[in-house]
Amino acid sequence: MYEELGIRDELIEKANIAEQEVKEEFERINKIAEQNSIKVLKAFQKYNLSEMHFGGTTGYGYGDVGRDTIESIFAEVLGTEDALVRTQLISGTHALTVALFAMLRPGDTMLSINGKPYDTLDEVIGITPNSSSLKAYGVKYEQIDLIANEFDVNSIKKRLEKQDVKLVCMQRSRGYSTRKSLSIESMKNVIDKIREVNKNVIIMVDNCYGEFVDVVEPSSIGADLIIGSLIKNLGGGIVPNGAYIAGKKDLISLCAERLTVPGQGKEVGASLGINKQILQGLFFAPQVVASSVKTAVFASKLLENLGYKVDPKFNEKRTDIVQTIQFGDKDKLIKFCQGIQKGSPVDSNSIPEPWDMPGYTDKVIMAAGAFTQGSSIELSCDAPIREPFIAFMQGRINI
Ligand SMILES: *Cc1c(COP(=O)(O)O)cnc(C)c1O
C-alpha cells in the first residue's frame, strides 16, 4: 500500500526503525493526553453541558447560553477566572492584538522578555511601521533577548523594578525562530522572579501551539492572560475559526470591550452555530494534540537518523507541537514541504511555492493539505525562505 503512495521500501524500513525507537515517548504522550482529557471531561460535567448549549444565536447574540458555557468551560480547563472564546476573534494574531490594545494606553510600555515576538505582530506593535500600530497610538515597546535559550532574569528584574512597564509578554512556542520553545518550568521561574520586584505588571503569554502538550498551562503558574488560536491545539482540528483569550476576570472584561463595544463586552457576539464545533473540538483536543506531538517526535527521530539537524530531539521534553528540521539548502527545504503537501488528504495535487505572505518579512512556503484553511493543528509545514533553511513542521489530527 505504501508503494502505491510512491514511498520506497528503503524508507519504510527506516520509518519502522524510527517508530520502534520512539515507543517510550509515545507512552509518555498518551499519559499527558489522558490527564488533559480528564480535565476537559470534568469541566463539561461541572457546567452541566447539554444539547441546549449546541444551539447558536444570530444578530447581536444576546443571551447565548452555549457561548457563555463554552467560556466557563475554557476558563475551567485553563485554570483561569474567565475566558473569551469567540468566532469574531479571526485568528491567533487578532486575539493577541485585541489583548494588547485592551491592556495598553498611550504612554504605556510593553516589554517582550524572549526577544522579538511572532512575525505577524511586527506591524501590530509597530516594529514594522504601520499607522494603526500600538506605536502609532503612543505605546512604547521594549524587548529583552534570551541568552542561550534562557530568560535574562537579571535584566528583566532590573527593568521591572522601576514600576513603569504596564505589560510583559512572552511567547511559549518558538514561532519562526531558531530558539527553544519555553518550558512551563522556565516560564514559572521567570514569573516568580518578576513578582519578587513587581506585583502589578500584567503578564501575558502567547500560548499558540502550546495547549495540552503539557498537563499545566501558563495560566496556572502565574500568567494573567494567555492567548491561542482555535485552528491550532484547542480546536482539535474541528473548529473552523476563532481564538481564545483566558485570564483574570477584569482583564478579560477589558479584552471583551475592545473586541466588541465598550459597555457591551461579553454580552454580545452571536455564535452563529459554531458552539457545538467548539465544544467537540475541545473534547477531541487532548488526543489531537497528542497525535501532533507523536508526529513531531517520529519525524524528529526519522530525520535525525537520516542525518539532518532536528530540534527538539525525539526524547526532549516538549512544550509545543512544533518540530524543526534544518536542511541548509533551499531546494531540499522546498522539496520537503512539497512532499508534505503531496501526502495530505486535501489538495494533494497542489505544489506549494514560496510567496510574499501578508505580515511576514521573508518569503514563506506553506504546505497544508488541510480541511480548514491555515489550520496548523492539521499536518502542515511552513518555512521562511532564509538561512539556514529550516522547516517548521506541525500538526496531524489522527495517528
Ligand atoms: C500561529 C501563531 C500565532 C498567530 O496565530 P494566527 O492564528 O496564525 O494569526 C502567534 N504566535 C504563535 C507562537 C503562533 O504559533
Side-chain angles (χ1 to χ4, degrees), residues 91-93 96 118 171 173 206 208-209 229 232:
S91 65
T93 304
L96 289 159
Y118 196 70
Q171 178 187 310
S173 176
D206 173 354
C208 284
Y209 283 148
S229 164
K232 292 182 178 171

Side-chain angles (χ1 to χ4, degrees), residues 90-96 117-121 171-176 179 206-210 227-232 242-243 320 322 357 360 366 374 376 382 394:
I90 59 114
S91 65
T93 304
H94 184 215
L96 289 159
Y118 196 70
D119 285 11
T120 56
L121 291 174
Q171 178 187 310
R172 179 173 178 182
S173 176
R174 65 206 310 174
Y176 283 156
R179 71 165 172 91
D206 173 354
N207 202 30
C208 284
Y209 283 148
I227 292 155
S229 164
L230 295 185
I231 61 167
K232 292 182 178 171
D320 65 9
V322 180
M357 251 190 93
Y360 294 88
M366 290 200 153
S376 43
D382 324 310
Q394 62 276 314

